Amino acid sequence: MNVVYNFSAGPAMIPKIVLRQAKKELQNWKQLRLSVMEISHRSKDFIDIAEESEKDLRDLLRIPESYKVLFCQGGARGQFSAVPMNLLSNSQNVDYINSGYWSQCAEIEARKYCIPNNINIKTICNNVVSLLPMSQWNISKYAKYIHYCPNETIDGIAIYEEPNGFKNIIIGDFSSVLLSRDINIENYDLIYAGAQKNIGPAGITIIIIRESLLRNTTSLPPSILDYRILSKYNSMYNTPPTFSWYLSGLVFKWLKKQGGLKKIEKKNEIKSRLLYKTIDNSNFYTNNISAKNRSKMNVVFNIIDPKLNEIFLKTAYEYGLIGLRGHSVVGGIRASIYNAMPLSGVRCLVEFMLHFQNRYG
Ligand SMILES: *Cc1c(COP(=O)(O)O)cnc(C)c1O
């Protein structure tokens, strides 16, 4: 079988070595002669997975004791509702930073529960798109929280600054960027991420929440999205997506073996730099996002002659480079290069891009 590189934005590729391990133990996990997905989530064996995965995640992100880690269902969109439902008791003012598709979706969902201020931070100058630095965000004084998205998976635009000095509660949708770089958890009050981008299979959502936010609330969200209930039952109030949890746990171990997040961050830096350099050095491909806001996870680009996009996607697919089609709301080409994408995959894409340019440019 020829090598195939999967650039899909999500569900996205999982490290080959992790898949091999899962395959090896699929029918006989821990010598139980059963699959991990066939055992009770309340069994000692599964609780070991739950505890170990939390510990590994805490190690990787240096999560302080004063934060709870919750594993939940409903994806990131579930959290678009869960956040306001948990944190607000009546119609309150909140700030939603608008940097692209997903942050906008979060704001639209929040309108059901509160009065969100939509704060646009996108600017376009000489056809270059960039995001305002945090110091220029027009935050409302009385906003109960600020919600933002540090990596816009569809737009390929990112925020690298960490929030600091805000008086409001800070909430981040880290769906496509959690574990891709080192961050200081204490700069945030609540972080959430669906697993299927940069972590594991779809089905599980990770929430990291400052414990003090669980106190003194009178809100009554649905039990399965209620942070206090999830916390009280160690994320096992209802049956969790056990297989996704197990596999995400294997990915955490793989990340630790890679040397942790500082190491992964360097690798991601090298991969994305190579790709952006190829785009910038050509007069064939374009990306008009300012260097400081370019996503290192989702590299979105176009061919200057847009008629060639379709031929590019088709030829790339035949070449073994799959999942490169941009999201339908923006079109074009998108290479998602999460942690699991090896440098060899990016090199292969770059080689293909140069060939394609030579042929059609
Ligand atoms: C994919 C994605 C979502 C939606 O995730 P679901 O798990 O499908 O609900 C939300 N936010 C960001 C940043 C995403 O990348």
Side-chain angles (χ1 to χ4, degrees):
M1 195 170 74
N2 285 335
V3 184
V4 161
Y5 288 110
N6 177 12
F7 292 90
S8 172
M13 77 172 286
I14 287 169
K16 284 276 178 292
I17 189 163
V18 169
L19 289 181
R20 272 202 291 275
Q21 181 179 347
K23 181 182 175 189
K24 205 174 99 204
E25 57 197 29
L26 186 67
Q27 289 176 300
N28 186 12
W29 180 68
K30 279 194 171 177
Q31 309 307 319
L32 292 176
R33 286 168 292 156
L34 292 169
S35 161
V36 62
M37 66 182 115
E38 299 170 300
I39 62 167
S40 168
H41 56 296
R42 312 222 179 265
S43 64
K44 162 96 176 54
D45 289 307
F46 192 81
I47 289 174
D48 284 349
I49 289 190
E51 288 177 354
E52 226 171 287
S53 61
E54 180 176 335
K55 184 184 177 302
D56 288 336
L57 184 66
R58 282 185 180 273
D59 290 349
L60 283 164
L61 282 163
R62 295 173 292 115
I63 302 174
E65 279 302 310
S66 52
Y67 285 72
K68 282 276 179 189
V69 175
L70 309 174
F71 295 86
C72 166
Q73 305 197 42
R77 277 194 187 269
Q79 291 307 303
F80 292 174
S81 312
V83 165
M85 282 195 291
N86 273 276
L87 301 187
L88 308 173
S89 40
N90 45 30
S91 265
Q92 282 170 306
N93 271 279
V94 287
D95 281 356
Y96 276 74
I97 304 301
N98 185 347
S99 55
Y101 184 83
W102 285 118
S103 54
Q104 171 82 68
C105 285
E107 190 265 331
I108 291 169
E109 185 69 13
R111 287 179 205 165
K112 294 179 183 169
Y113 311 101
C114 53
I115 308 160
N117 309 305
N118 186 329
I119 300 176
N120 178 40
I121 58 163
K122 216 174 200 177
T123 63
I124 304 178
C125 184
N126 299 328
N127 196 32
V128 175
V129 180
S130 57
L131 299 177
L132 291 175
M134 285 179 177
S135 59
Q136 289 176 34
W137 289 4
N138 194 10
I139 299 301
S140 353
K141 205 161 162 197
Y142 299 107
K144 177 86 191 274
Y145 65 71
I146 301 170
H147 177 282
Y148 85 107
C149 179
N151 188 72
E152 289 280 4
T153 322
I154 291 176
D155 311 69
I157 202 159
I159 296 165
Y160 293 97
E161 243 181 307
E162 289 207 54
N164 204 328
F166 289 106
K167 294 218 162 50
N168 324 56
I169 292 168
I170 300 284
I171 299 172
D173 174 1
F174 272 70
S175 291
S176 48
V177 72
L178 191 67
L179 296 172
S180 71
R181 63 169 188 262
D182 194 35
I183 54 170
N184 181 359
I185 293 291
E186 284 181 296
N187 287 330
Y188 308 87
D189 298 287
L190 195 169
I191 278 175
Y192 62 86
Q196 73 273 20
K197 310 289 166 60
N198 196 34
I199 297 170
I204 201 155
T205 312
I206 294 172
I207 299 156
I208 303 166
I209 181 170
R210 198 187 285 280
E211 201 168 5
S212 56
L213 286 189
L214 301 175
R215 285 183 227 129
N216 304 327
T217 64
T218 52
S219 58
L220 285 172
S223 300
I224 59 158
L225 293 176
D226 187 324
Y227 299 146
R228 285 167 305 171
I229 293 181
L230 285 165
S231 168
K232 184 172 161 203
Y233 288 88
N234 296 319
S235 306
M236 296 210 198
Y237 176 69
N238 69 325
T239 315
T242 51
F243 191 75
S244 306
W245 197 338
Y246 148 82
L247 214 114
S248 302
L250 296 185
V251 172
F252 300 157
K253 294 216 178 293
W254 174 76
L255 285 170
K256 282 177 112 176
K257 224 179 248 166
Q258 301 289 300
L261 299 191
K262 291 234 163 72
K263 282 271 162 59
I264 283 286
E265 183 171 344
K266 282 224 175 74
K267 285 186 185 171
N268 288 332
E269 185 76 46
I270 292 168
K271 289 186 305 189
S272 57
R273 207 180 312 133
L274 183 60
L275 209 41
Y276 283 117
K277 204 176 79 189
T278 307
I279 295 165
D280 291 342
N281 288 351
S282 80
N283 43 19
F284 186 75
Y285 302 105
T286 67
N287 166 293
N288 68 343
I289 297 169
S290 71
K292 70 174 173 41
N293 292 122
R294 281 174 161 182
S295 169
K296 293 172 194 171
M297 295 285 103
N298 312 95
V299 178
V300 171
F301 60 98
N302 269 281
I303 299 176
I304 289 175
D305 174 2
K307 284 196 300 293
L308 290 172
N309 279 343
E310 277 305 316
I311 307 171
F312 178 97
L313 292 168
K314 184 168 173 289
T315 323
Y317 187 89
E318 286 158 4
Y319 196 74
L321 305 171
I322 71 166
L324 284 165
R325 184 179 293 280
H327 191 279
S328 54
V329 303
V330 294
I333 301 160
R334 168 175 58 173
S336 295
I337 49 173
Y338 301 119
N339 291 342
M341 176 60 69
L343 179 59
S344 59
V346 177
R347 286 216 175 102
C348 191
L349 172 59
V350 163
E351 193 181 306
F352 173 79
M353 287 167 72
L354 296 175
H355 276 310
F356 191 86
Q357 178 184 343
N358 278 341
R359 168 122 189 250
Y360 292 95

